């Protein structure tokens, strides 16, 4: 199977069918936990885009969707631990029950910072959901309420997650070949 994207992948960690099955049960958990609906879902761009689109289409509630762009510094600059909010407008969250979705929980800085900001802005409740959570100690004390998969502490791409802006469109979670990095 020739595919310029697929050629850069060393191995598939979680395939499409497995992700789909897991999203079915995450959606069922969300439906169960918010029986009355009325949720405001906040998607962290761009990483959670694919995950959120597939998850939310499985949730039958009346819900509203907002997106936020944040920059969290990683790799070489991980030490700063600073999370910047890049949008000019912050969604109106006062009194709302919020479900915050991100692609992956790593150090925990992003979820911690966004959750704190939502509460500062008056959200009544903030629950969090991630497709992936790395099995490691977090820099910030935070865990997600809904976790798709726990993975080892290695760098993954696909299904919304990028390396240098690429690979978000892979339909599965994979590990890059060294030659692609
Ligand atoms: P945290 O703030 O929890 O350290 O990191 C969250 C963000 O770091 C994620 O939203 C994601 O953008 C990025 N990140 C962390 N680990 C990985 C990874 O293994 N692969 C990719 N592509 N991004 C990651
Ligand atoms: Mg990212």
């Amino acid at each position: 199977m020739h595919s310029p994207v697929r050629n850069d992948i060393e191995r598939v960690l979680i395939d499409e069918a497995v992700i789909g099955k897991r999203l079915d049960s995450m959606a069922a958990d969300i439906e169960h936990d918010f029986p009355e609906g009325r949720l405001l879902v906040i998607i962290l761009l761009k990483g959670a885009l694919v995950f959120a689109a597939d998850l939310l289409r499985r949730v039958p509630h009346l819900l509203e969707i907002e997106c936020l762009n944040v920059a969290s510094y990683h790799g070489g600059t991980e030490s700063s631990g600073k999370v910047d909010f890049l949008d000019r407008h912050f969604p109106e969250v006062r009194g709302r029950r919020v479900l915050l979705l991100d692609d992956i929980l790593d150090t925990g800085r992003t979820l911690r910072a966004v959750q704190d900001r939502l509460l500062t802005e008056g959200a009544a409740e903030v629950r969090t959901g991630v497709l992936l959570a790395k099995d490691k100690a977090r820099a910030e004390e935070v865990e997600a309420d809904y976790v798709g998969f726990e993975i080892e502490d290695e760098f993954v791409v696909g299904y919304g997650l990028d390396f240098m802006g690429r690979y978000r469109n892979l339909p599965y979670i994979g590990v890059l070949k060294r030659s692609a990095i």
Side-chain angles (χ1 to χ4, degrees), residues 1-175:
M1 226 195 317
H2 176 77
S3 150
V5 179
R6 201 179 177 118
N7 282 346
D8 288 346
I9 299 299
E10 174 78 44
R11 71 195 145 84
V12 174
L13 199 63
I14 311 170
D15 77 30
E16 206 176 347
V18 172
I19 296 172
K21 275 222 170 102
R22 184 70 189 109
L23 295 188
D24 288 340
S25 65
M26 290 176 86
D29 290 344
I30 292 165
E31 190 183 345
H32 173 267
D33 292 351
F34 299 93
E36 71 293 355
R38 299 255 321 120
L39 261 183
L40 172 63
V41 182
I42 296 193
I43 302 169
L44 294 186
L45 296 178
K46 307 171 187 127
L49 185 62
V50 177
F51 161 54
D54 283 352
L55 176 69
L56 297 176
R57 279 178 294 173
R58 289 166 159 85
V59 178
H61 288 327
L62 276 177
L63 46 79
E64 287 155 66
I65 298 177
E66 294 280 357
C67 297
L68 277 179
N69 284 281
V70 297
S72 49
Y73 296 96
H74 258 268
T77 58
E78 195 177 340
S79 57
S80 89
K82 200 163 124 51
V83 176
D84 282 340
F85 290 84
L86 305 178
D87 301 289
R88 291 181 55 180
H89 296 285
F90 199 83
E92 181 52 60
V93 299
R94 189 157 298 280
R96 301 298 306 268
R97 301 183 82 185
V98 174
L99 174 63
L100 172 63
L101 298 178
D102 200 5
D103 51 0
I104 187 167
L105 181 57
D106 183 18
T107 65
R109 288 188 178 116
T110 306
L111 270 194
R112 175 80 276 149
V114 180
Q115 196 170 10
D116 287 351
R117 174 78 189 268
L118 289 165
L119 291 168
T120 303
E121 300 285 337
E125 180 186 357
V126 183
R127 297 244 192 137
T128 52
V130 291
L131 177 67
L132 305 172
K134 288 190 179 173
D135 183 12
K136 68 190 273 189
R138 313 253 178 257
E140 293 289 336
E141 209 173 297
V142 60
E143 281 309 321
D145 298 298
Y146 306 97
V147 175
F149 304 91
E150 280 235 345
I151 63 167
E152 305 268 291
D153 187 10
E154 65 183 332
F155 190 81
V156 295
V157 296
Y159 208 77
L161 291 102
D162 72 309
F163 174 64
M164 308 262 284
R166 294 176 170 175
Y167 309 107
R168 294 193 199 274
N169 59 320
L170 279 175
Y172 49 80
I173 300 290
V175 176

